[in-house]
Amino acid sequence: MEAIYIILAGSLVAVSCGLVGSYLILRKMAMVADAISHAVLPGIVIAFFISGSRDSLPMLLGAGALGIITTFLIEFFHKKGNLQTDASIGVTFTWLFALGVILISTFAGKVDLDQDCVLYGEIAYVPIDLWITDTGTIMGPRVLYISGSVLLVVIAFIFIGYKELFLTTFDPSYAAIIGINTTLWHYLLMGAVSLTTVASFESVGAILVVALLIAPPATAYLLTEDFKKMLIFTCIIGIIVSVLGYYLASYIDGSIAGAMSTVAGLIFLVVFLFSPTQGVVFRNRRSKLSMTLNEEPI
Amino acid sequence: MEDFLYFFSFQDPNIRYVVVGSVLLAISAAIVGCFTFLKKRALIGDAVAHSVLPGVCLAFVVSGTKNPIYLIIGAFITGWLSLRFIDMIVRYSKLKEDTAIGLTLSVFFGLGILILTAIQHSGNANQSGLDQFLFGKAASLVGQDLIVFGSVSIILLLVVGLLFKELTLLAFDEQFGKAIGMPVKGLELVLTTLTVLAVVTGIQAVGVVLMAAMLITPAAAARFWTDKLTTMVFLAALFGAISGVSGAYISFVAPAMPTGPWIVLVISFIAMSSFFIAPRKGILYKQFQQRKYQKQILEENILKAFFHLGEADEQYYGHRKISDLISQRRFVMGRLKGGLQKLVRSGFLKQDREGWVLTEEGKNKGQRIVKLHRLWELYLTEYLRIAPDHVHDEAETIEHIITPEIEARLEKKLNYPSVDPHNETIPYR
């Protein structure tokens, strides 16, 4: 039962991350996601400290606020200070993350949060951390409810805004012409990123959530040209990552989140090498084939 | 305070070691960072920094000790591999560089965490302290570690010193380098290796998670103060050194604190301040300049309005009221009043009960602006063949910028014309 709870939690997190991540990698915003996932840390710690609990709402508010501040600061240094984008990202998220770690060390003992949790989460504790109602009924693991509802929100978001997200991702200028507010959808997507990051934070930590945001969609992207199929493949890969990650971690007795990112990386590597349309191996063979064809006299 | 004095008197040899070590590694990261920054590959440093973790852990598993030499070799191998992976992904697939960086750094880091936690759970007594590589602990930088990490930094500084010219060329104009027969591929390999080395030396004091900041932030800060590469490298090294010393100090007064985040906060503080206050490039300086120009433009527009009113009733020294000026041009009331006051103070206007009057200086200045405006309109129609009804807006901005030299050339080129394209007289003095 324990294994099922953990795998289920991992799958829920991996699927919502992957769905949001699909849009991010197509919009060339992978590193912005990396920045946000690091930079929400001080917001989460402060929310922890003020509310004194792991209630999701204060955490969400804290992280959301920091997510907005991060995107704002990156833009601000880039536009007003003429700092190149990559450096602007690098400077902004590192100091916010540093601030978060320092806050954790300062409040150590006062908040139920430590550096390990930040780095690789506590998905192993999912089965222990139960949601018990005031009347004493045990409703099952709390994390399942949180990540489950976040996944529902993400799916609803993509379902409702599919056309808008699709167009603003692939052809922003056309989207603007037919009257879609590209800035609004940009910020809605950033909001979705912050939401999934916060929800995944407890389970897989701030850094490894990046692996779940990027690796499954990047793998799916190499398997298909069709965006809808890419979303479906991403979900399937997310679930495989969660299952295999759990068994790898229990086999070598290590962090489950670490194992999940490792598996995600391995799956990517396999697809990168052997994808039927994009893989390095087949591509080499194809280009050799076309070379021999070209050499024939016309 | 006592701690402070004790620390900065450097009596304790341990403190000396720690300070020297932190400064050396901060300097080497900052210097290498300048080149990656200028090549616009700043985030590569982030990828390498995260990717050395599995190497460090594997080296520990294989060697069974925390001997810094093994750890450095392990870190070097995975750090370098990660860069190869990023290049491979970008070259052989349709994925973009940012995805490749994010993917590689998170997967390598995840692998590192997996091995690290496995080591921790294995109950190996030697392993304690391995997790300090995550967020750094400058105080643990003593004895053998210092010698190893210190020599790596010195080698790194020597290489940069010897190849300074070549690396500069690589950062600014790779194509030119290729054209004059420089081994650009080889140099890129050197820069990659240097980046990995800089990260490797920093892991003990700063930790892998935040090492990226030591590469990016000093360079970004230094860039705001200068346009000259040597000065930039020197400044970045200085900023790095300051943060290194503060990191060592914090590690001394608060042993429970990880040093990496503090070093990063100090260097980020320096960088943020630079972004705002640096002369010429700083955000505040730019805003100040912009205000100054806006004021100058407003004042010149007011004088111009006076001159136009004078042209209309041929009384250049007539009294004008605010309503007259506003009928001439849409001024914002508050700003108009401020501008008028300022012009009175600088002697271009006089104020009495009936209103404002131009002084001779004021009239001349207004006249010059009107002249420039009309000369430019004529220039645009004559030389650029722009229709006369399209030239006003252009002239409206350029009239505040034209210098006396350009003015003289315009007059000469247009042969001292008497009217502009709208048949208005060009007022010469």
Side-chain angles (χ1 to χ4, degrees), chain B residues 35 39 158-178 180-191 194 229:
Chain B
F35 292 100
K39 269 187 80 74
L158 280 177
V159 174
V160 173
L162 287 173
L163 295 177
F164 196 82
K165 204 180 82 186
E166 285 79 0
L167 288 172
T168 310
L169 194 58
L170 187 70
F172 286 108
D173 201 340
E174 213 181 297
Q175 295 303 322
F176 177 67
K178 244 181 222 162
I180 62 167
M182 239 192 234
V184 172
K185 275 261 152 61
L187 281 172
E188 252 173 28
L189 206 67
V190 172
L191 185 59
L194 288 177
L229 181 65

mmCIF file of all heavy atoms in Angstrom, chain B residues 35 39 158-178 180-191 194 229:
data_model
loop_
_atom_site.group_PDB
_atom_site.id
_atom_site.type_symbol
_atom_site.label_atom_id
_atom_site.label_comp_id
_atom_site.label_asym_id
_atom_site.label_seq_id
_atom_site.Cartn_x
_atom_site.Cartn_y
_atom_site.Cartn_z
ATOM 1 N N PHE B 35 34.504 35.627 -18.810
ATOM 2 C CA PHE B 35 34.554 35.182 -20.200
ATOM 3 C C PHE B 35 33.266 34.462 -20.599
ATOM 4 O O PHE B 35 32.749 34.692 -21.687
ATOM 5 C CB PHE B 35 35.776 34.293 -20.432
ATOM 6 C CG PHE B 35 37.066 35.042 -20.318
ATOM 7 C CD1 PHE B 35 37.818 34.989 -19.166
ATOM 8 C CD2 PHE B 35 37.495 35.849 -21.347
ATOM 9 C CE1 PHE B 35 38.993 35.696 -19.044
ATOM 10 C CE2 PHE B 35 38.678 36.573 -21.244
ATOM 11 C CZ PHE B 35 39.425 36.498 -20.077
ATOM 12 N N LYS B 39 30.549 35.650 -23.430
ATOM 13 C CA LYS B 39 30.129 34.754 -24.513
ATOM 14 C C LYS B 39 28.635 34.465 -24.455
ATOM 15 O O LYS B 39 28.125 33.669 -25.234
ATOM 16 C CB LYS B 39 30.900 33.423 -24.436
ATOM 17 C CG LYS B 39 32.172 33.436 -25.248
ATOM 18 C CD LYS B 39 32.804 32.059 -25.270
ATOM 19 C CE LYS B 39 32.161 31.128 -26.248
ATOM 20 N NZ LYS B 39 32.441 31.340 -27.641
ATOM 21 N N LEU B 158 46.859 31.105 -13.714
ATOM 22 C CA LEU B 158 47.996 31.148 -14.631
ATOM 23 C C LEU B 158 47.541 30.954 -16.076
ATOM 24 O O LEU B 158 47.952 31.691 -16.967
ATOM 25 C CB LEU B 158 49.008 30.061 -14.264
ATOM 26 C CG LEU B 158 49.944 30.402 -13.094
ATOM 27 C CD1 LEU B 158 50.851 29.228 -12.787
ATOM 28 C CD2 LEU B 158 50.763 31.646 -13.431
ATOM 29 N N VAL B 159 46.675 29.952 -16.288
ATOM 30 C CA VAL B 159 46.201 29.686 -17.652
ATOM 31 C C VAL B 159 45.491 30.905 -18.217
ATOM 32 O O VAL B 159 45.749 31.323 -19.354
ATOM 33 C CB VAL B 159 45.274 28.447 -17.683
ATOM 34 C CG1 VAL B 159 44.674 28.268 -19.066
ATOM 35 C CG2 VAL B 159 46.043 27.209 -17.282
ATOM 36 N N VAL B 160 44.611 31.498 -17.396
ATOM 37 C CA VAL B 160 43.902 32.690 -17.878
ATOM 38 C C VAL B 160 44.903 33.789 -18.206
ATOM 39 O O VAL B 160 44.810 34.456 -19.241
ATOM 40 C CB VAL B 160 42.878 33.182 -16.835
ATOM 41 C CG1 VAL B 160 42.278 34.500 -17.271
ATOM 42 C CG2 VAL B 160 41.792 32.159 -16.642
ATOM 43 N N GLY B 161 45.899 33.971 -17.350
ATOM 44 C CA GLY B 161 46.902 35.009 -17.576
ATOM 45 C C GLY B 161 47.638 34.782 -18.886
ATOM 46 O O GLY B 161 47.818 35.706 -19.688
ATOM 47 N N LEU B 162 48.033 33.530 -19.142
ATOM 48 C CA LEU B 162 48.811 33.235 -20.347
ATOM 49 C C LEU B 162 47.972 33.368 -21.610
ATOM 50 O O LEU B 162 48.454 33.818 -22.638
ATOM 51 C CB LEU B 162 49.384 31.818 -20.262
ATOM 52 C CG LEU B 162 50.545 31.646 -19.283
ATOM 53 C CD1 LEU B 162 50.923 30.186 -19.150
ATOM 54 C CD2 LEU B 162 51.751 32.472 -19.752
ATOM 55 N N LEU B 163 46.705 32.952 -21.531
ATOM 56 C CA LEU B 163 45.862 32.940 -22.731
ATOM 57 C C LEU B 163 44.910 34.133 -22.783
ATOM 58 O O LEU B 163 43.891 34.083 -23.457
ATOM 59 C CB LEU B 163 45.054 31.641 -22.789
ATOM 60 C CG LEU B 163 45.861 30.361 -22.967
ATOM 61 C CD1 LEU B 163 44.957 29.158 -22.937
ATOM 62 C CD2 LEU B 163 46.626 30.407 -24.288
ATOM 63 N N PHE B 164 45.257 35.191 -22.048
ATOM 64 C CA PHE B 164 44.303 36.295 -21.910
ATOM 65 C C PHE B 164 43.859 36.836 -23.270
ATOM 66 O O PHE B 164 42.675 37.022 -23.531
ATOM 67 C CB PHE B 164 44.916 37.416 -21.079
ATOM 68 C CG PHE B 164 43.905 38.401 -20.584
ATOM 69 C CD1 PHE B 164 43.168 38.122 -19.449
ATOM 70 C CD2 PHE B 164 43.661 39.582 -21.263
ATOM 71 C CE1 PHE B 164 42.213 39.003 -18.993
ATOM 72 C CE2 PHE B 164 42.709 40.467 -20.815
ATOM 73 C CZ PHE B 164 41.985 40.176 -19.679
ATOM 74 N N LYS B 165 44.835 37.064 -24.146
ATOM 75 C CA LYS B 165 44.506 37.667 -25.438
ATOM 76 C C LYS B 165 43.596 36.738 -26.253
ATOM 77 O O LYS B 165 42.601 37.171 -26.826
ATOM 78 C CB LYS B 165 45.804 37.937 -26.208
ATOM 79 C CG LYS B 165 45.662 39.031 -27.235
ATOM 80 C CD LYS B 165 46.965 39.251 -27.956
ATOM 81 C CE LYS B 165 47.133 38.245 -29.067
ATOM 82 N NZ LYS B 165 48.439 38.323 -29.713
ATOM 83 N N GLU B 166 43.937 35.458 -26.251
ATOM 84 C CA GLU B 166 43.170 34.484 -27.032
ATOM 85 C C GLU B 166 41.734 34.372 -26.496
ATOM 86 O O GLU B 166 40.777 34.344 -27.267
ATOM 87 C CB GLU B 166 43.844 33.112 -26.992
ATOM 88 C CG GLU B 166 45.098 32.987 -27.849
ATOM 89 C CD GLU B 166 46.334 33.606 -27.212
ATOM 90 O OE1 GLU B 166 46.218 34.136 -26.084
ATOM 91 O OE2 GLU B 166 47.399 33.587 -27.843
ATOM 92 N N LEU B 167 41.618 34.329 -25.161
ATOM 93 C CA LEU B 167 40.281 34.199 -24.568
ATOM 94 C C LEU B 167 39.444 35.440 -24.849
ATOM 95 O O LEU B 167 38.239 35.360 -25.072
ATOM 96 C CB LEU B 167 40.394 33.972 -23.059
ATOM 97 C CG LEU B 167 40.913 32.598 -22.639
ATOM 98 C CD1 LEU B 167 41.163 32.546 -21.150
ATOM 99 C CD2 LEU B 167 39.926 31.509 -23.033
ATOM 100 N N THR B 168 40.105 36.600 -24.845
ATOM 101 C CA THR B 168 39.391 37.837 -25.163
ATOM 102 C C THR B 168 38.800 37.762 -26.555
ATOM 103 O O THR B 168 37.626 38.076 -26.778
ATOM 104 C CB THR B 168 40.362 39.035 -25.104
ATOM 105 O OG1 THR B 168 41.058 38.967 -23.880
ATOM 106 C CG2 THR B 168 39.610 40.335 -25.207
ATOM 107 N N LEU B 169 39.615 37.326 -27.482
ATOM 108 C CA LEU B 169 39.165 37.223 -28.863
ATOM 109 C C LEU B 169 37.997 36.245 -28.973
ATOM 110 O O LEU B 169 37.014 36.497 -29.667
ATOM 111 C CB LEU B 169 40.335 36.766 -29.735
ATOM 112 C CG LEU B 169 40.123 36.937 -31.233
ATOM 113 C CD1 LEU B 169 39.838 38.387 -31.547
ATOM 114 C CD2 LEU B 169 41.347 36.475 -31.983
ATOM 115 N N LEU B 170 38.114 35.136 -28.242
ATOM 116 C CA LEU B 170 37.055 34.128 -28.255
ATOM 117 C C LEU B 170 35.747 34.726 -27.745
ATOM 118 O O LEU B 170 34.672 34.464 -28.291
ATOM 119 C CB LEU B 170 37.477 32.951 -27.372
ATOM 120 C CG LEU B 170 36.563 31.732 -27.390
ATOM 121 C CD1 LEU B 170 36.654 31.041 -28.728
ATOM 122 C CD2 LEU B 170 36.936 30.785 -26.271
ATOM 123 N N ALA B 171 35.855 35.565 -26.707
ATOM 124 C CA ALA B 171 34.647 36.126 -26.107
ATOM 125 C C ALA B 171 34.001 37.160 -27.017
ATOM 126 O O ALA B 171 32.790 37.296 -27.043
ATOM 127 C CB ALA B 171 34.971 36.738 -24.754
ATOM 128 N N PHE B 172 34.816 37.908 -27.756
ATOM 129 C CA PHE B 172 34.251 39.027 -28.507
ATOM 130 C C PHE B 172 34.027 38.734 -29.981
ATOM 131 O O PHE B 172 33.035 39.169 -30.553
ATOM 132 C CB PHE B 172 35.150 40.258 -28.375
ATOM 133 C CG PHE B 172 35.043 40.903 -27.036
ATOM 134 C CD1 PHE B 172 36.068 40.817 -26.124
ATOM 135 C CD2 PHE B 172 33.892 41.565 -26.681
ATOM 136 C CE1 PHE B 172 35.961 41.384 -24.889
ATOM 137 C CE2 PHE B 172 33.773 42.145 -25.447
ATOM 138 C CZ PHE B 172 34.804 42.054 -24.543
ATOM 139 N N ASP B 173 34.967 38.052 -30.617
ATOM 140 C CA ASP B 173 34.833 37.881 -32.055
ATOM 141 C C ASP B 173 35.431 36.554 -32.492
ATOM 142 O O ASP B 173 36.549 36.464 -32.959
ATOM 143 C CB ASP B 173 35.521 39.043 -32.790
ATOM 144 C CG ASP B 173 34.985 39.179 -34.205
ATOM 145 O OD1 ASP B 173 34.410 38.195 -34.710
ATOM 146 O OD2 ASP B 173 35.149 40.252 -34.796
ATOM 147 N N GLU B 174 34.605 35.517 -32.319
ATOM 148 C CA GLU B 174 35.050 34.176 -32.628
ATOM 149 C C GLU B 174 35.385 34.037 -34.115
ATOM 150 O O GLU B 174 36.374 33.418 -34.486
ATOM 151 C CB GLU B 174 33.911 33.233 -32.264
ATOM 152 C CG GLU B 174 34.351 31.902 -31.766
ATOM 153 C CD GLU B 174 33.142 31.050 -31.468
ATOM 154 O OE1 GLU B 174 32.364 31.441 -30.578
ATOM 155 O OE2 GLU B 174 32.975 30.017 -32.125
ATOM 156 N N GLN B 175 34.518 34.641 -34.950
ATOM 157 C CA GLN B 175 34.700 34.516 -36.399
ATOM 158 C C GLN B 175 36.054 35.067 -36.828
ATOM 159 O O GLN B 175 36.760 34.456 -37.613
ATOM 160 C CB GLN B 175 33.585 35.268 -37.135
ATOM 161 C CG GLN B 175 32.208 34.701 -36.911
ATOM 162 C CD GLN B 175 32.121 33.243 -37.308
ATOM 163 O OE1 GLN B 175 32.718 32.821 -38.304
ATOM 164 N NE2 GLN B 175 31.421 32.457 -36.517
ATOM 165 N N PHE B 176 36.396 36.235 -36.268
ATOM 166 C CA PHE B 176 37.674 36.853 -36.608
ATOM 167 C C PHE B 176 38.824 35.940 -36.191
ATOM 168 O O PHE B 176 39.784 35.744 -36.927
ATOM 169 C CB PHE B 176 37.791 38.218 -35.932
ATOM 170 C CG PHE B 176 39.097 38.902 -36.171
ATOM 171 C CD1 PHE B 176 39.442 39.343 -37.437
ATOM 172 C CD2 PHE B 176 39.991 39.102 -35.133
ATOM 173 C CE1 PHE B 176 40.646 39.971 -37.662
ATOM 174 C CE2 PHE B 176 41.203 39.730 -35.350
ATOM 175 C CZ PHE B 176 41.533 40.161 -36.620
ATOM 176 N N GLY B 177 38.661 35.368 -34.980
ATOM 177 C CA GLY B 177 39.674 34.438 -34.487
ATOM 178 C C GLY B 177 39.895 33.299 -35.471
ATOM 179 O O GLY B 177 41.018 32.934 -35.798
ATOM 180 N N LYS B 178 38.773 32.754 -35.963
ATOM 181 C CA LYS B 178 38.852 31.658 -36.921
ATOM 182 C C LYS B 178 39.581 32.123 -38.184
ATOM 183 O O LYS B 178 40.428 31.427 -38.731
ATOM 184 C CB LYS B 178 37.434 31.218 -37.306
ATOM 185 C CG LYS B 178 37.120 29.789 -36.883
ATOM 186 C CD LYS B 178 35.703 29.409 -37.311
ATOM 187 C CE LYS B 178 35.021 28.651 -36.212
ATOM 188 N NZ LYS B 178 33.571 28.608 -36.359
ATOM 189 N N ILE B 180 41.783 34.461 -38.626
ATOM 190 C CA ILE B 180 43.239 34.658 -38.559
ATOM 191 C C ILE B 180 43.946 33.380 -38.113
ATOM 192 O O ILE B 180 45.113 33.394 -37.757
ATOM 193 C CB ILE B 180 43.628 35.842 -37.637
ATOM 194 C CG1 ILE B 180 43.170 35.591 -36.197
ATOM 195 C CG2 ILE B 180 43.084 37.151 -38.159
ATOM 196 C CD1 ILE B 180 43.785 36.563 -35.216
ATOM 197 N N GLY B 181 43.219 32.272 -38.136
ATOM 198 C CA GLY B 181 43.870 30.979 -37.937
ATOM 199 C C GLY B 181 44.090 30.578 -36.498
ATOM 200 O O GLY B 181 44.990 29.813 -36.182
ATOM 201 N N MET B 182 43.248 31.123 -35.607
ATOM 202 C CA MET B 182 43.398 30.712 -34.219
ATOM 203 C C MET B 182 42.680 29.388 -33.985
ATOM 204 O O MET B 182 41.646 29.138 -34.585
ATOM 205 C CB MET B 182 42.794 31.786 -33.340
ATOM 206 C CG MET B 182 43.831 32.333 -32.407
ATOM 207 S SD MET B 182 43.059 33.307 -31.210
ATOM 208 C CE MET B 182 43.980 34.769 -31.414
ATOM 209 N N PRO B 183 43.226 28.547 -33.128
ATOM 210 C CA PRO B 183 42.557 27.266 -32.861
ATOM 211 C C PRO B 183 41.332 27.470 -31.988
ATOM 212 O O PRO B 183 41.350 27.188 -30.783
ATOM 213 C CB PRO B 183 43.629 26.454 -32.141
ATOM 214 C CG PRO B 183 44.512 27.466 -31.512
ATOM 215 C CD PRO B 183 44.480 28.680 -32.384
ATOM 216 N N VAL B 184 40.234 27.963 -32.586
ATOM 217 C CA VAL B 184 39.054 28.345 -31.820
ATOM 218 C C VAL B 184 38.450 27.158 -31.066
ATOM 219 O O VAL B 184 38.102 27.257 -29.893
ATOM 220 C CB VAL B 184 38.002 28.980 -32.761
ATOM 221 C CG1 VAL B 184 36.694 29.196 -32.032
ATOM 222 C CG2 VAL B 184 38.516 30.298 -33.292
ATOM 223 N N LYS B 185 38.398 26.014 -31.742
ATOM 224 C CA LYS B 185 37.851 24.804 -31.093
ATOM 225 C C LYS B 185 38.643 24.484 -29.826
ATOM 226 O O LYS B 185 38.073 24.217 -28.767
ATOM 227 C CB LYS B 185 37.924 23.621 -32.066
ATOM 228 C CG LYS B 185 36.745 23.544 -33.011
ATOM 229 C CD LYS B 185 35.725 22.534 -32.502
ATOM 230 C CE LYS B 185 34.314 22.864 -32.948
ATOM 231 N NZ LYS B 185 34.128 22.870 -34.389
ATOM 232 N N GLY B 186 39.962 24.527 -29.961
ATOM 233 C CA GLY B 186 40.828 24.227 -28.823
ATOM 234 C C GLY B 186 40.634 25.210 -27.700
ATOM 235 O O GLY B 186 40.556 24.840 -26.525
ATOM 236 N N LEU B 187 40.501 26.486 -28.063
ATOM 237 C CA LEU B 187 40.326 27.523 -27.043
ATOM 238 C C LEU B 187 39.003 27.345 -26.325
ATOM 239 O O LEU B 187 38.902 27.549 -25.107
ATOM 240 C CB LEU B 187 40.368 28.907 -27.682
ATOM 241 C CG LEU B 187 41.776 29.411 -27.993
ATOM 242 C CD1 LEU B 187 41.703 30.682 -28.795
ATOM 243 C CD2 LEU B 187 42.530 29.645 -26.700
ATOM 244 N N GLU B 188 37.970 26.957 -27.093
ATOM 245 C CA GLU B 188 36.677 26.733 -26.461
ATOM 246 C C GLU B 188 36.777 25.606 -25.441
ATOM 247 O O GLU B 188 36.206 25.673 -24.365
ATOM 248 C CB GLU B 188 35.625 26.415 -27.515
ATOM 249 C CG GLU B 188 34.687 27.572 -27.667
ATOM 250 C CD GLU B 188 33.713 27.405 -28.803
ATOM 251 O OE1 GLU B 188 33.383 26.268 -29.142
ATOM 252 O OE2 GLU B 188 33.294 28.434 -29.334
ATOM 253 N N LEU B 189 37.558 24.604 -25.820
ATOM 254 C CA LEU B 189 37.780 23.484 -24.904
ATOM 255 C C LEU B 189 38.479 23.984 -23.636
ATOM 256 O O LEU B 189 38.138 23.574 -22.518
ATOM 257 C CB LEU B 189 38.652 22.448 -25.618
ATOM 258 C CG LEU B 189 38.509 21.020 -25.135
ATOM 259 C CD1 LEU B 189 37.129 20.500 -25.473
ATOM 260 C CD2 LEU B 189 39.584 20.159 -25.792
ATOM 261 N N VAL B 190 39.448 24.888 -23.825
ATOM 262 C CA VAL B 190 40.157 25.443 -22.669
ATOM 263 C C VAL B 190 39.178 26.191 -21.766
ATOM 264 O O VAL B 190 39.163 25.999 -20.539
ATOM 265 C CB VAL B 190 41.287 26.395 -23.126
ATOM 266 C CG1 VAL B 190 41.886 27.119 -21.931
ATOM 267 C CG2 VAL B 190 42.355 25.615 -23.851
ATOM 268 N N LEU B 191 38.329 27.016 -22.374
ATOM 269 C CA LEU B 191 37.382 27.801 -21.578
ATOM 270 C C LEU B 191 36.413 26.869 -20.830
ATOM 271 O O LEU B 191 36.114 27.073 -19.653
ATOM 272 C CB LEU B 191 36.603 28.768 -22.476
ATOM 273 C CG LEU B 191 35.673 29.731 -21.739
ATOM 274 C CD1 LEU B 191 36.447 30.594 -20.758
ATOM 275 C CD2 LEU B 191 34.914 30.611 -22.699
ATOM 276 N N LEU B 194 38.275 25.397 -18.002
ATOM 277 C CA LEU B 194 38.458 26.395 -16.952
ATOM 278 C C LEU B 194 37.170 26.570 -16.138
ATOM 279 O O LEU B 194 37.205 26.683 -14.912
ATOM 280 C CB LEU B 194 38.864 27.739 -17.551
ATOM 281 C CG LEU B 194 40.285 27.834 -18.107
ATOM 282 C CD1 LEU B 194 40.520 29.202 -18.722
ATOM 283 C CD2 LEU B 194 41.306 27.577 -17.012
ATOM 284 N N LEU B 229 37.887 45.252 -20.789
ATOM 285 C CA LEU B 229 37.895 43.880 -20.270
ATOM 286 C C LEU B 229 38.847 43.718 -19.084
ATOM 287 O O LEU B 229 38.500 43.092 -18.084
ATOM 288 C CB LEU B 229 38.251 42.889 -21.373
ATOM 289 C CG LEU B 229 38.251 41.437 -20.896
ATOM 290 C CD1 LEU B 229 36.865 40.992 -20.492
ATOM 291 C CD2 LEU B 229 38.804 40.515 -21.944
#
